[in-house]
Amino acid sequence: MENEYQSVEISGSQRVSATYSDPRATQCKDNKNLQQEEAFSLAKVLNQLVSEQRSLHKKAANALETQYLRDDSTEQAADKPTITAAFAETAKPLFKRFNDPVGNVREICIRITIKFIAEEEDLIHYLPYLIPAITRRVNSQYGYDEENQVFSRDQFLHDAFKRGRVYVAENQVARVKPDELSEEIRLLLLGLLDAVLENAFQRRASSILHAYIFDILLVLISGVHDDFHEVNIASC
């Protein structure tokens, strides 16, 4: 009888411990989730990103990087807004920061845009803002003559040729350099363009690129003649 009583007590203690829930652990988990929600506010970060205070741009870019590039945990990812919804709000502020004077801010914004573009189901609303943001940084010296339907290596010389000039002094020829001086970021811009093309072709929506085909070609041609060999390879 004594042995039977002890076995009942042991099994009972096991049953209690299996169903017991520590309220302090639950409270700590709730507090952690609350802190995460308070730590990141998309509206607040976007206000910082478009602010005239340059010091806030880097802070906002780092917050976006942590939220969308570094955080891969399943628990926190479930609480995030969808990529599509987030891109709808962040697209224009991100494109604007492609011209930021701080290279790290430009790099982060381009990397985030690449991730968003890969998941976006409808690019047509973003291309009128995205393609000019890319071409503005590349600032290609190449041009396209719609009248004669030819690409020119140097727009200045081509215009002189159309005016009938046979010779132009070398000191009169303006060599246009890309606005983006960082070789790594120029490579990222090509990666962004590649993400756009990949998205359009995978979704069989290449027709949305027709209005931007010459801009895309000029970016690729400029990349082929870039001084950075990895940009040359990516352009090919």
Side-chain angles (χ1 to χ4, degrees):
M1 290 294 293
E2 183 178 355
N3 292 337
E4 291 179 1
Y5 180 76
Q6 290 177 351
S7 64
V8 170
E9 279 192 336
I10 293 173
S11 62
S13 64
Q14 290 177 345
R15 183 171 59 254
V16 171
S17 62
T19 58
Y20 176 76
S21 177
D22 188 353
R24 290 176 299 178
T26 304
Q27 184 177 3
C28 290
K29 184 177 180 180
D30 293 339
N31 290 338
K32 182 179 179 182
N33 292 335
L34 181 60
Q35 290 175 358
Q36 290 170 354
E37 291 177 0
E38 293 176 350
F40 181 82
S41 169
L42 184 58
K44 179 180 178 180
V45 170
L46 293 181
N47 286 335
Q48 293 175 340
L49 197 62
V50 299
S51 171
E52 295 182 359
Q53 300 182 32
R54 293 182 178 179
S55 59
L56 296 178
H57 298 169
K58 187 174 183 179
K59 180 179 179 181
N62 289 334
L64 290 171
E65 180 184 29
T66 301
Q67 184 73 4
Y68 295 111
L69 295 180
R70 293 180 180 175
D71 181 15
D72 297 325
S73 65
T74 305
E75 180 181 351
Q76 294 181 4
D79 296 332
K80 292 180 184 177
T82 63
I83 293 295
T84 301
F87 192 39
E89 296 185 53
T90 60
K92 291 182 181 179
L94 285 174
F95 302 163
K96 185 177 181 179
R97 292 278 72 84
F98 286 9
N99 289 324
D100 196 272
V102 179
N104 187 46
V105 174
R106 299 197 303 273
E107 178 184 351
I108 292 174
C109 291
I110 294 172
R111 287 170 54 210
I112 293 174
T113 303
I114 291 174
K115 180 175 181 178
F116 285 173
I117 286 293
E119 302 293 335
E120 178 58 43
E121 297 182 356
D122 190 3
L123 290 179
I124 195 170
H125 301 295
Y126 304 104
L127 292 180
Y129 309 99
L130 177 60
I131 298 299
I134 296 175
T135 56
R136 191 179 301 114
R137 295 306 299 170
V138 174
N139 194 21
S140 174
Q141 74 179 52
Y142 294 84
Y144 179 72
D145 184 352
E146 294 188 12
E147 181 181 353
N148 297 311
Q149 297 185 355
V150 293
F151 287 97
S152 60
R153 181 181 179 87
D154 190 301
Q155 191 63 42
F156 178 82
L157 293 177
H158 184 68
D159 291 340
F161 173 77
K162 290 175 65 176
R163 293 194 300 268
R165 297 189 64 177
V166 179
Y167 172 77
V168 178
E170 185 176 355
N171 59 3
Q172 294 181 347
V173 179
R175 297 300 177 187
V176 180
K177 294 183 178 181
D179 285 351
E180 183 50 69
L181 300 180
S182 170
E183 298 171 341
E184 290 77 11
I185 296 181
R186 292 204 301 273
L187 184 61
L188 271 179
L189 287 170
L190 281 173
L192 174 55
L193 185 60
D194 179 68
V196 171
L197 297 176
E198 186 73 17
N199 182 306
F201 291 137
Q202 282 187 351
R203 302 180 190 281
R204 298 182 179 181
S206 59
S207 60
I208 66 176
L209 302 174
H210 290 174
Y212 311 99
I213 188 64
F214 296 126
D215 293 318
I216 293 172
L217 288 174
L218 289 176
V219 171
L220 294 177
I221 292 173
S222 298
V224 170
H225 295 276
D226 196 279
D227 295 333
F228 189 34
H229 69 281
E230 292 190 19
V231 173
N232 304 151
I233 296 172
S235 299
C236 294

